Amino acid sequence: MFVALGFLLGLVALGSVMPIVDGTMLPSFLPLLAAIGLVLVAVRLPPAEASRFGALVKPLVIGAAIPALWILFQMAPVPAGLAHPVWASVKAGFPSPVAGSITVDIGATAMALVSYLTLVGAILLATAVTINRDRAEIVLITLTGATTLLSVGLLATSIFGMAHPAAREELLDCACLGVILASACACFVYERHETRRAKLGYGDARFVYPLLASLAAFLISATAVAISRSGSVIFAACCGVGLFGAVFLVRRLSLGRWGAGAIGLTASVIVIALISGAAGTASDPRLAFVRKDPATVELTQRILADAPFFGDGAGAFSSILPIYQFGDDGAQERKAVTAAAKLSIEMGRTMLWAAVIVAGLAVVLFLRASAKRGRDSFYAAAAASCIVSLIALAFINTALFGPTLPVLSAVIIGLGLAQSQGRNAA
């Protein structure tokens, strides 16, 4: 299984370098690494781990099949009443009848399906590999190191002003996850120190340096987020790390359900008040927290207003955009202003809010799993905290559709899922 671990770490490394290394071929290696890793898992996974793996991923596979079937439906020929209106305008140019589809660009939607299945494969690979505690520790440290290095890159680009805006957004969102992962690493070091000191009589010398490294990673990521001067992104990071800190305190102080409920209720009231104040009078939450130029926001608003129930097709935003650009609009960025808006345009509003509900449910399940775990509770808590930050970031920028953030998020979710149950729970 250490070879499969190598492919998982390669997936993390490749995803981490894509924002700063130009190369059109690099994304094509992500599906290859995920596929080879899954083949190795199928061949080499020990029987005991295989039974746990099957129990853990069964609900995930069933749920993940729904968006895949939705995308396939978008590509399939459909009656004229369901087909996108753009197909009616092109039929006149063909001598024979043309069957329309929901998507305006079947090729782009097919590539989006490949990207989606790659992320599902990354979650499955991470889950299988990190069922083992030792491998889980390696992956957690690797993820923390990757997000810390990306935070260093963000700090460098902020100082020298070299980053493309899209790359800067993704680096910033990765720094948000880095704050949470560094906190999880510090918790990991503390828990292992407590366990080994009690069992083996280890002193504090072996505890100080790993803890200092975790704190340094936390400070680097937190500084990268802070210097962005983006209140929305700072809020997203604070939500995630605040949730992780609350889970840690509830466990260490033995506050129980009533203490956890009181903390959760207080935090919910504060979060709702802050969101309401930030949104102001905006009527559309998909655009309420955007601070970009009005022309770009207005362009996205027009596309959102015309988006059909089933969407314009996964990955087809760039194909539909020229229809709405006039005059000098062609010089604008060819992307939506938020990931939530883009998902709503491509997959339909129903799929967007279904995804938000599923993500919220995943947070609850991870928190419940964390409450039932002992010294390894920080894995599920970190996964829940990262999902909370990702939900907020989806309404702030489009980094969730970038090359790096989805890969790191998939591995984090797989890690949390693998460690959400103890050895005797399956």
Side-chain angles (χ1 to χ4, degrees):
M1 283 300 293
F2 277 97
V3 179
L5 173 62
F7 276 92
L8 177 62
L9 298 183
L11 196 67
V12 173
L14 180 60
S16 300
V17 302
M18 284 194 290
I20 53 180
V21 177
D22 291 330
T24 56
M25 292 296 295
L26 286 179
S28 63
F29 288 100
L30 293 175
L32 179 63
L33 290 174
I36 296 176
L38 287 173
V39 170
L40 292 172
V41 164
V43 174
R44 305 291 296 178
L45 191 65
E49 294 182 10
S51 62
R52 285 186 60 196
F53 174 73
L56 288 169
V57 303
K58 185 178 179 180
L60 169 68
V61 172
I62 295 173
I66 297 175
L69 293 174
W70 188 281
I71 297 174
L72 287 172
F73 176 62
Q74 288 183 325
M75 293 190 291
V78 293
L82 288 177
H84 196 279
V86 74
W87 290 101
S89 62
V90 302
K91 284 183 179 180
F94 292 90
S96 57
V98 177
S101 60
I102 291 172
T103 178
V104 300
D105 190 335
I106 296 177
T109 302
M111 293 304 299
L113 178 61
V114 172
S115 299
Y116 172 73
L117 294 178
T118 299
L119 296 178
V120 175
I123 296 176
L124 296 176
L125 177 59
T127 303
V129 169
T130 58
I131 285 177
N132 177 275
R133 179 176 291 155
D134 294 332
R135 296 194 295 266
E137 293 173 1
I138 294 173
V139 173
L140 175 61
I141 294 171
T142 301
L143 286 168
T144 305
T147 52
T148 302
L149 289 176
L150 289 170
S151 300
V152 172
L154 177 60
L155 290 172
T157 55
S158 299
I159 295 172
F160 299 106
M162 298 181 299
H164 186 274
R168 188 178 184 279
E169 282 184 352
E170 191 154 22
L171 291 172
L172 182 56
D173 287 8
C174 289
C176 290
L177 299 187
V179 176
I180 300 169
L181 292 172
S183 302
C185 251
C187 184
F188 154 68
V189 171
Y190 179 77
E191 294 286 354
R192 293 297 180 268
H193 171 69
E194 289 290 298
T195 302
R196 291 167 183 171
R197 185 176 62 176
K199 291 184 177 181
L200 304 175
Y202 283 178
D204 293 335
R206 298 188 181 186
F207 165 69
V208 174
Y209 294 113
L211 183 62
L212 289 177
S214 300
L215 294 177
F218 179 88
L219 290 175
I220 291 171
S221 298
T223 302
V225 173
I227 66 170
S228 68
R229 291 178 293 182
S230 171
S232 299
V233 175
I234 294 173
F235 171 76
C238 289
C239 285
V241 75
L243 176 61
F244 185 86
V247 172
F248 179 77
L249 289 176
V250 167
R251 180 173 180 271
R252 298 302 303 183
L253 300 179
S254 301
L255 297 180
R257 293 184 178 181
W258 288 103
I263 293 175
L265 180 61
T266 304
S268 298
V269 172
I270 295 173
V271 168
I272 292 173
L274 291 174
I275 291 176
S276 301
T281 58
S283 58
D284 192 340
R286 296 167 293 183
L287 304 173
F289 309 103
V290 178
R291 297 297 180 265
K292 294 187 177 180
D293 62 283
T296 304
V297 176
E298 192 272 337
L299 180 66
T300 303
Q301 284 177 326
R302 285 192 280 123
I303 303 176
L304 280 170
D306 293 342
F309 177 82
F310 292 105
D312 291 319
F317 182 83
S318 297
S319 300
I320 200 72
L321 183 61
I323 300 175
Y324 293 86
Q325 290 181 314
F326 305 100
D328 294 333
D329 284 350
Q332 294 182 24
E333 293 181 272
R334 285 183 168 269
K335 66 174 187 177
V337 292
T338 66
K342 185 175 182 180
L343 182 62
S344 184
I345 291 168
E346 295 184 347
M347 299 286 284
R349 180 180 297 188
T350 301
M351 187 59 72
L352 166 66
W353 296 117
V356 173
I357 292 172
V358 170
L361 179 62
V363 171
V364 174
L365 294 177
F366 275 127
L367 290 177
R368 182 181 179 187
S370 176
K372 293 181 178 180
R373 290 303 311 268
R375 56 177 177 165
D376 293 328
S377 61
F378 53 86
Y379 288 111
S385 302
C386 287
I387 293 174
V388 167
S389 288
L390 290 171
I391 294 173
L393 291 170
F395 293 86
I396 297 171
N397 54 46
T398 58
L400 270 172
F401 283 92
T404 299
L405 187 63
V407 174
L408 297 181
S409 302
V411 177
I412 292 169
I413 292 171
L415 173 61
L417 181 61
Q419 292 295 317
S420 62
Q421 294 182 3
R423 295 180 181 180
N424 300 323

